[in-house]
Amino acid sequence: NIETSGFPLWALGIIVGIHSGLFWTSYHTDFATVSDGKHLDKEVGFVKFAIKISGVMGPVIGGAIIATFGFNPLLWIVVILLALSVVPLFFSKDVHSSSNISIRRAFKGKKVKDWIALAASGLENSVAGVLWPIFIFFTVISSFETVGLVTSVSLVISLMFIIITGKLADKHRNIVMRVGSITNAIVWGLKAFATSVSMVFVTDSLHGATKTLMSVPFEAKTYKNAERQGVIEYVLFRAIAVGIGSAALFVVMLFVTDITTSFWLGAGSSLLFLLL
């Protein structure tokens, strides 16, 4: 509605940036603080499972609503659901512990490879969350319902792998992440050649599995690092590194006409996860 309403696009960017900074910084800080540290991979897997299982039918229902009623009704439904999701927070205990936050300490002593690995995660997430859906809609499928179905199938495959990955990664974190990173890079390469609905289904389902193998141990590593290096400072460092990677992707794509180029960037960034 931007063209008709005149609402500035940059204002939306600012609002989303404020949301992202407030929510995810708090989320990662809270998770790193309450985790027992002994079964990080299982805990990360459980949280991912809880999030994904509640959203399996979301893409299908969302696609059907868009196709039948348009975007506005769906957006208002989302607004209402988000508002309702805040209610439980008012009934949870708010634990406050005073601490001295040093911006300088947050970045001091951080290795270049850690910067690169975290930036790579931001880049890969943006390719998967933004550019891939745009590609399959405008290039292959052109149906909101089918795009929603593809996403739901991918989520189901992810669910099947999350619990297994959490248990395996608790004992063999580096091996699981190595397998996940390499296979995820291969899947991104296959996505560059997805020209049919069946190919989109296959590659996106595979991505649901390989991304899980890669991301669960990766996130567990970041929480482990936060525990060692200071939770708030490390979460701040992580957020900025991830943001730089995401922003770098879109800057590059400003000068690229072929969207499949981003898939090769996603493949390369998957391998860079191994630097953490």
Side-chain angles (χ1 to χ4, degrees):
N1 293 328
I2 288 177
E3 290 184 357
T4 55
S5 66
F7 195 86
L9 185 61
W10 58 264
L12 285 177
I14 291 175
I15 293 170
V16 173
I18 292 172
H19 143 73
S20 182
L22 290 175
F23 179 82
W24 288 111
T25 301
S26 303
Y27 171 87
H28 291 305
T29 300
D30 202 33
F31 193 101
T33 302
V34 302
S35 172
D36 64 9
K38 297 178 181 178
H39 303 287
L40 264 175
D41 300 84
K42 284 184 180 179
E43 292 172 346
V44 171
F46 174 79
V47 171
K48 284 185 174 293
F49 182 86
I51 293 172
K52 287 182 182 293
I53 198 171
S54 62
V56 165
M57 292 306 298
V60 173
I61 296 172
I65 292 174
I66 292 172
T68 307
F69 303 105
F71 274 102
N72 281 349
L74 178 67
L75 293 175
W76 281 112
I77 291 172
V78 171
V79 168
I80 293 170
L81 290 174
L82 283 173
L84 291 175
S85 72
V86 177
V87 175
L89 296 178
F90 290 103
F91 297 94
S92 62
K93 186 178 180 181
D94 189 18
V95 180
H96 173 72
S97 57
S98 59
S99 59
N100 296 319
I101 303 172
S102 170
I103 303 297
R104 183 179 180 182
R105 191 165 63 242
F107 304 104
K108 186 178 181 181
K110 296 298 187 293
K111 298 178 180 178
V112 174
K113 66 184 186 67
D114 292 341
W115 277 100
I116 295 174
L118 290 168
S121 73
L123 190 151
E124 200 272 347
N125 284 335
S126 293
V127 176
V130 179
L131 298 180
W132 169 247
I134 292 174
F135 169 79
I136 61 176
F137 180 79
F138 286 104
T139 308
V140 184
I141 296 176
S142 299
S143 165
F144 289 116
E145 299 101 314
T146 309
V147 172
L149 181 61
V150 168
T151 306
S152 290
V153 170
S154 178
L155 286 172
V156 170
I157 301 297
S158 297
L159 285 172
M160 295 168 59
F161 272 80
I162 282 173
I163 301 301
I164 300 172
T165 300
K167 291 182 179 180
L168 287 175
D170 250 355
K171 298 179 180 179
H172 310 286
R173 180 181 295 163
N174 290 331
I175 295 176
V176 172
M177 193 169 82
R178 191 175 298 118
V179 171
S181 297
I182 294 172
T183 54
N184 198 63
I186 294 172
V187 169
W188 272 121
L190 293 174
K191 282 188 173 188
F193 300 99
T195 55
S196 64
V197 175
S198 59
M199 190 65 172
V200 167
F201 265 101
V202 170
T203 55
D204 209 48
S205 298
L206 288 173
H207 185 252
T210 58
K211 178 67 180 284
T212 300
L213 288 170
M214 177 179 70
S215 63
V216 169
F218 181 83
E219 286 195 22
K221 274 194 168 187
T222 64
Y223 292 128
K224 195 68 177 179
N225 289 343
E227 181 184 319
R228 294 169 180 161
Q229 302 177 31
V231 173
I232 297 179
E233 282 85 359
Y234 189 85
V235 168
L236 176 61
F237 159 66
R238 167 183 168 156
I240 291 178
V242 169
I244 288 173
S246 182
L249 168 69
F250 296 115
V251 169
V252 170
M253 294 308 295
L254 285 173
F255 305 97
V256 178
T257 55
D258 186 3
I259 200 170
T260 58
T261 300
S262 68
F263 303 161
W264 296 110
L265 293 175
S269 65
S270 298
L271 298 175
L272 293 176
F273 274 58
L274 297 174
L275 293 175
L276 190 67

